[in-house]
């Protein structure tokens, strides 16, 4: 049956009413989201929650597989592997992927600055014959998954024998590190197990170069976010010291304390990178996933009730400052520890510390989850509990500052050891969710979609709609749509879309005026009411559409 249509006069009045009552998304939440402050909602089905998994390319952890490099159909095999990971993300009701595209001062795209990554073909600098990053972004968006491009700023090589180690001559021909050996240092020293090359964060020319190399991808590809992990200065190796005496002498900028100077070097990287991203594409988010402990309270009264390693000291990462200065849009501390009986780094102590840290800022907090530990005897008895990860997500609910989770990593999520993935997905990801909106990013108001048809067919219920004034005049452009379904034909009240209980799907906007989607979960013979909302690039949501009814 076709959807009930508004008369011309009614449509005009409705649209004008939207224009008058809807404030810019950057100034206030949309009408579809303001109800969450007054409506009772189910914490098990949040309307907004960032859900993602890391897809690591370094040493072929997740994608592409090592085996794919020698396949005669290498490109097709790697594309199929990636699609399978995205299908997994969809089944788990994720709404984003974080994909490593610059693992070791190289590129998964045709970069004019750095060589092709060896993890595509097995050969450093070898052209794979296609543009992986363009494919990665397009396929994620096809499934309406945000694509966060994950870059490692300073790591140049991995240890030998698999990597180039400390030998720059083993890097790809023409590699910038070969052309500028003074830009790098080996740590730990050459000849020591685990030695590898790093760009020197203390050299201003290096900092400018790595930003330029990363910004090439930001400018050329339709990514949704830029993502750094926890690698800045190298993690300590024994008693070996980072060899930057000459650098400190040449570029101290007035600092007399080397530890403060190193932290400032990383602060400058973060602050400058954020500025460059926002100048090029204001809607692109910038996030960092740091080591889970900033400082222990024994070292700093502002620190957490922990006794483990401190990122502030060991890798010169002043992560708390990045949050307080709002140099980043989101932070994903890697809280890779279990709940309870671990005073060095108890998950139950660190979550409230991070929630308090972001409070009063516009920085969103997502938690990095250690799926790789689940079911692995090497990590002790707590990780033999199939519900450990689900318990983490339950604990998060007690802290409203926590707005999502990112799981490390994709192959571990897929492995589902002990059934842990199934458990947390059933208990916490049973419904789709929208990514959290970021009101500080620029946006324009959206009108509600107009449903033109809701008809049952052999596959379910097909909805067709269009987006009025899409991108015209003062109105924003719809990037995606949320579809809500209610049993029966009584229009839902204003609380109907307050959580995800009735959210049956989201879909990416396609070219052209007419949009459509098929609800394959609709049961034959049942009556339904559908309402749609439009979402812009930053997930700001429009008012809900007038209801569309399916009567048979």
């Amino acid at each position: 049956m076709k959807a009930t249509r508004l008369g011309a006069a009614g449509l005009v009045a409705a649209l004008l009413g939207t224009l008058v009552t809807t404030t810019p998304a950057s100034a206030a939440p949309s009408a579809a989201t303001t109800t969450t402050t007054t409506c009772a909602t189910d914490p098990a089905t949040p309307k907004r929650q960032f859900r993602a998994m890391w897809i690591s390319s370094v040493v072929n952890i997740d994608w592409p597989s090592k085996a794919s490099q020698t396949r005669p159909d290498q490109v097709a095999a790697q594309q199929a592997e990636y699609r399978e990971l995205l299908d997994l993300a969809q089944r788990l009701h994720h709404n984003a992927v974080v994909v490593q595209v610059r693992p070791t001062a190289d590129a998964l795209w045709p970069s004019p600055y750095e060589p092709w990554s060896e993890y595509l073909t097995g050969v450093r600098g070898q052209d794979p014959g296609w543009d992986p990053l363009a494919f990665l972004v397009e396929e994620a968006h096809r499934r309406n998954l945000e694509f966060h491009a994950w870059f490692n700023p300073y790591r140049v090589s991995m240890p030998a024998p698999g990597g180039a180690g400390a030998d720059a001559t083993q890097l790809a021909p023409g590699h910038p590190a070969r052309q500028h050996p003074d830009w790098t240092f080996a740590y730990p020293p050459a000849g020591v197990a685990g030695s590898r090359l790093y760009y020197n964060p203390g050299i201003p020319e290096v900092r400018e170069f790595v930003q330029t190399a990363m910004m090439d991808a930001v400018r050329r590809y339709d990514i949704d976010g830029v993502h750094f992990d926890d690698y800045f200065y190298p993690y300590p190796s024994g008693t070996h010291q980072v060899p930057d005496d000459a650098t400190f002498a040449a570029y101290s900028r007035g600092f007399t304390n080397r530890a403060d100077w190193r932290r400032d070097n990383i602060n400058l990287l973060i602050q400058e990178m954020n500025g460059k991203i926002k100048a090029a594409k204001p809607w692109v988010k910038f996030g960092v996933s740091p080591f889970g402990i900033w400082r222990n309270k024994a070292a700093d009264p502002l620190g957490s009730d922990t006794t483990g390693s401190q990122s502030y000291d060991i890798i010169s990462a002043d992560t708390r400052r990045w949050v307080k200065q709002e140099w980043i849009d989101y932070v994903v501390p890697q809280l890779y520890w279990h709940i309870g009986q671990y005073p060095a780094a108890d998950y139950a102590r660190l979550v409230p510390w991070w929630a308090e840290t972001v409070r009063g800022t516009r920085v969103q907090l997502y938690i990095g989850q250690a799926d790789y530990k689940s079911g692995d005897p090497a990590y002790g008895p707590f990780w033999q509990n199939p519900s450990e990860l689900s318990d983490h997500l339950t604990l998060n609910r007690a802290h409203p500052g926590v707005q999502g989770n990112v799981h490390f990593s994709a192959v571990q999520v897929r492995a589902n050891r002990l059934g842990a993935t199934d458990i947390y997905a059933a208990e916490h990801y049973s419904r789709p969710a929208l990514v959290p909106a970021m009101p500080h990013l620029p946006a324009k108001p959206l009108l509600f979609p107009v449903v033109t048809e809701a008809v049952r067919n052999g596959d379910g219920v097909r909805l067709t709609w269009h987006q009025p004034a899409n991108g015209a005049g003062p109105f924003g452009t719809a990037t995606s749509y949320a579809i809500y379904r209610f049993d029966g034909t009584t229009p839902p009240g204003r609380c109907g879309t307050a959580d995800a209980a009735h959210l049956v799907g989201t879909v990416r906007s396609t070219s052209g005026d007419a949009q459509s989607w098929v609800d394959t979960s609709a049961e034959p013979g049942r009556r339904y009411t559908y309402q749609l909302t439009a979402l812009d690039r930053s997930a700001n949501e429009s008012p809900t559409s007038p209801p569309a009814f399916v009567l048979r």
Side-chain angles (χ1 to χ4, degrees):
M1 166 167 283
K2 289 187 176 181
T4 302
R5 297 174 183 264
L6 286 173
L11 178 58
V12 169
L15 297 182
L16 287 175
T18 301
L19 175 59
V20 170
T21 60
T22 303
T23 58
S26 58
S30 70
T33 59
T34 54
T35 57
T36 58
T37 60
T38 56
C39 300
T41 58
D42 185 350
T45 58
K47 177 170 180 165
R48 293 186 181 270
Q49 186 178 58
F50 191 85
R51 302 172 184 168
M53 56 188 180
W54 281 289
I55 300 179
S56 304
S57 60
V58 68
V59 298
N60 303 101
I61 291 175
D62 294 305
W63 182 90
S65 71
K66 189 76 172 175
S68 71
Q69 296 172 350
T70 56
R71 290 273 299 266
D73 58 342
Q74 180 189 96
V75 174
Q78 292 180 353
Q79 291 181 347
E81 288 177 354
Y82 181 67
R83 288 190 182 104
E84 288 175 2
L85 294 178
L86 297 188
D87 291 344
L88 171 64
Q90 277 194 300
R91 289 196 300 273
L92 295 174
H93 290 147
H94 287 192
N95 46 35
V97 287
V98 183
V99 184
Q100 194 173 32
V101 300
R102 185 182 179 269
T104 50
D106 49 10
L108 269 66
W109 74 94
S111 168
Y113 303 101
E114 295 181 308
W116 282 105
S117 176
E118 65 183 284
Y119 305 118
L120 293 166
T121 64
V123 179
R124 294 175 194 125
Q126 181 171 300
D127 188 340
W130 62 303
D131 187 342
L133 183 51
F135 171 81
L136 298 173
V137 174
E138 181 179 356
E139 287 297 312
H141 286 172
R142 192 187 309 278
R143 293 161 177 78
N144 202 31
L145 297 167
E146 281 196 345
F147 186 93
H148 290 240
W150 169 14
F151 303 88
N152 290 84
Y154 292 126
R155 185 172 62 200
V156 175
S157 65
M158 295 299 287
D167 187 355
T169 66
Q170 297 300 306
L171 299 172
H175 195 294
R178 296 182 67 167
Q179 299 173 337
H180 302 277
D182 56 312
W183 283 6
T184 68
F185 59 72
Y187 188 86
V192 176
S195 181
R196 68 189 80 181
L197 292 172
Y198 294 87
Y199 280 130
N200 190 335
I203 300 176
E205 191 177 5
V206 167
R207 190 174 71 248
E208 177 65 27
F209 171 76
V210 299
Q211 290 174 3
T212 298
M214 294 184 288
M215 284 301 301
D216 180 62
V218 176
R219 291 189 175 95
R220 291 170 55 194
Y221 296 89
D222 191 25
I223 66 174
D224 300 288
V226 168
H227 185 94
F228 290 174
D229 59 20
D230 55 317
Y231 286 94
F232 297 103
Y233 276 89
Y235 280 90
S237 177
T239 59
H240 299 294
Q241 301 299 309
V242 172
D244 59 359
D245 289 355
T247 311
F248 182 47
Y251 303 108
S252 64
R253 298 188 305 279
F255 282 92
T256 57
N257 180 289
R258 190 178 314 200
D260 290 340
W261 169 76
R262 286 179 181 167
R263 277 187 288 273
D264 193 61
N265 292 332
I266 306 304
N267 289 344
L268 288 171
L269 170 74
I270 299 297
Q271 184 180 17
E272 292 170 0
M273 191 67 188
N274 181 58
K276 290 181 178 182
I277 293 167
K278 296 302 188 288
K281 293 183 176 179
W283 60 90
V284 172
K285 305 166 186 176
F286 181 34
V288 180
S289 177
F291 182 74
I293 299 173
W294 169 68
R295 300 199 84 187
N296 302 312
K297 68 178 184 180
D300 189 316
L302 296 175
S304 53
D305 185 14
T306 50
T307 60
S309 298
Q310 306 168 108
S311 68
Y312 181 92
D313 299 297
I314 64 170
I315 55 174
S316 306
D318 191 355
T319 51
R320 183 179 182 274
R321 184 175 184 187
W322 306 344
V323 171
K324 295 301 185 182
Q325 294 293 325
E326 298 180 336
W327 291 337
I328 54 179
D329 297 304
Y330 67 87
V331 65
V332 193
Q334 298 172 20
L335 302 190
Y336 293 169
W337 302 285
H338 56 76
I339 294 173
Q341 299 185 39
Y342 191 57
D346 186 341
Y347 184 91
R349 297 181 183 183
L350 281 162
V351 168
W353 185 88
W354 280 101
E356 177 60 25
T357 297
V358 301
R359 189 168 65 90
T361 76
R362 65 192 188 191
V363 178
Q364 294 184 354
L365 171 62
Y366 319 140
I367 304 298
Q369 300 292 343
D371 288 50
Y372 71 96
K373 288 187 174 181
S374 183
D376 188 335
Y379 295 108
F382 284 91
W383 292 100
Q384 300 307 304
N385 173 9
S387 295
E388 176 68 27
L389 287 169
S390 187
D391 290 346
H392 288 199
L393 273 58
T394 300
L395 186 151
N396 290 356
R397 291 182 189 173
H399 302 279
V402 179
Q403 298 189 57
N405 299 279
V406 185
H407 298 266
F408 190 83
S409 62
V411 294
Q412 307 296 338
V413 173
R414 182 173 62 193
N416 191 27
R417 286 188 299 273
L418 305 179
T421 302
D422 289 341
I423 292 171
Y424 72 66
E427 295 182 354
H428 300 277
Y429 300 163
S430 64
R431 307 295 302 174
L434 311 180
V435 299
M438 291 190 173
H440 65 277
L441 299 182
K444 296 179 180 180
L446 293 167
L447 298 176
F448 56 72
V450 176
V451 181
T452 56
E453 190 173 54
V455 60
R456 192 180 292 278
N457 59 27
D459 297 324
V461 172
R462 175 174 291 278
L463 301 171
T464 304
W465 67 92
H466 70 88
Q467 181 64 23
N470 196 27
F475 297 107
T477 299
T479 300
S480 62
Y481 299 90
I483 299 99
Y484 300 88
R485 187 187 71 200
F486 306 88
D487 291 336
T489 56
T490 300
R494 62 184 180 86
C495 292
T497 60
D499 60 19
H502 299 284
L503 181 63
V504 291
T506 69
V507 61
R508 198 79 175 181
S509 176
T510 58
S511 59
D513 182 54
Q515 307 289 311
S516 66
W517 180 79
V518 177
D519 180 6
T520 57
S521 66
E523 297 179 18
R526 295 196 65 172
R527 294 185 172 191
Y528 293 115
T529 300
Y530 289 90
Q531 287 189 299
L532 277 63
T533 59
L535 296 106
D536 67 10
R537 191 61 185 263
S538 300
N540 298 296
E541 190 175 29
S542 76
T544 53
S545 69
F549 304 104
V550 175
L551 302 180
R552 65 175 185 271

